[in-house]
Structures are given as structure tokens and as C-alpha cells.
Amino acid sequence: MPKLLSRVLDLVLLSFAAALFGACLTSLVSTGTYGWMVPDAPYVYEPRDFYAQAVLAGLAGMMALMLAERSARLRQSPPGRAVATFAAALLALYLAPPSPQVFGNTWAPGEATRELFLAQLHMVLPIALAVTALRWGLQRVLR
């Protein structure tokens, strides 16, 4: 599989995962139910900011994955590639939540990480596992 196509697919997959987590998190925090809700706080955080942040989170995850795959031992080991993909997905998901100001202005230092990421591991881990499985499947199909 050409390297450029592989990287583009990684970026799309990680960006979509980041957008999925951000939208589900917004819906869960705002309404108490799961769904797709793009945060919209006029003059603070608009939908285009949400999608731009999702792409940047996907880009950060892709760059972490590229750095991890520079190791020849990791590149040749399927479990190593899976762990690197899972870690890259976790990084993209960590960077994915919308600005905490969307949910209010009273965030203490570290509280956003605890409440918007660590408390949501029931959502984060399945999304990261799905990214890992989809990437593995795409690589198998495109080889």
C-alpha cells in the first residue's frame, strides 16, 4: 500500500474518531444522552472550530503514530503496530474534546482532563479499540 494513502487514511480515521468523541461528549454533557451534538457557543466556540480541532487532534495522533512506526521492530510486529495505533488514538481522543468554556467558565486546573477525558473512559476505550481494528482491517484490505 502506498505510504501516502496509508497516512491519509490514518488522518481521516483519527480525525473522525476525534470528532465522534467530541460530539458524543458534548451530547452527554449537554443532554445526558448519547448522540451527535456539535458544540455551538457563539463568539466563543463555533462548529467550524470543533471540526478544525478534530482535524488537528487527528493530525497529532497521526504524527505520534508516524514517530512510533519509525522503529523497525515495531513496524514488523503486528501487536506493536496495534499498540502504537491504540496509543495514537488515545492521544487524538485526549485532544478531541471541545474547549471547556463551551460547558462553562468555572474549570479548575486539571479538572477538564479529569471530567472531559478520564471520566469518559467508557466512551474513549471503545472508540480507540474501534480505530485500532479499523486501521488493521484497512491495512489488510489494501495490501
Side-chain angles (χ1 to χ4, degrees):
M1 171 168 60
K3 205 62 152 164
L4 179 62
L5 177 61
S6 173
R7 294 304 173 202
V8 168
L9 289 175
D10 289 343
L11 176 63
V12 168
L13 189 60
L14 290 168
S15 296
F16 178 74
L20 174 67
F21 176 60
C24 287
L25 175 68
T26 302
S27 177
L28 188 64
V29 170
S30 299
T31 65
T33 61
Y34 294 102
W36 184 276
M37 179 181 249
V38 176
D40 188 14
Y43 304 113
V44 176
Y45 195 83
E46 296 183 7
R48 67 177 170 191
D49 298 326
F50 172 77
Y51 291 114
Q53 187 172 353
V55 170
L56 289 175
L59 186 62
M62 185 190 72
M63 292 179 76
L65 187 58
M66 285 172 44
L67 286 174
E69 288 182 340
R70 288 186 61 130
S71 165
R73 187 182 319 169
L74 183 76
R75 227 182 0 251
Q76 296 169 353
S77 163
R81 282 195 313 263
V83 168
T85 303
F86 187 76
L90 286 178
L91 175 65
L93 296 176
Y94 175 74
L95 298 173
S99 172
Q101 293 176 347
V102 171
F103 307 115
N105 289 327
T106 59
W107 293 91
E111 186 179 14
T113 297
R114 285 190 306 275
E115 296 300 320
L116 299 180
F117 182 74
L118 295 176
Q120 307 304 325
L121 286 179
H122 63 280
M123 250 190 316
V124 169
L125 295 178
I127 293 172
L129 284 172
V131 166
T132 304
L134 282 171
R135 183 170 190 256
W136 178 80
L138 282 171
Q139 286 181 341
R140 299 269 313 207
V141 166
L142 294 175
R143 266 193 211 155

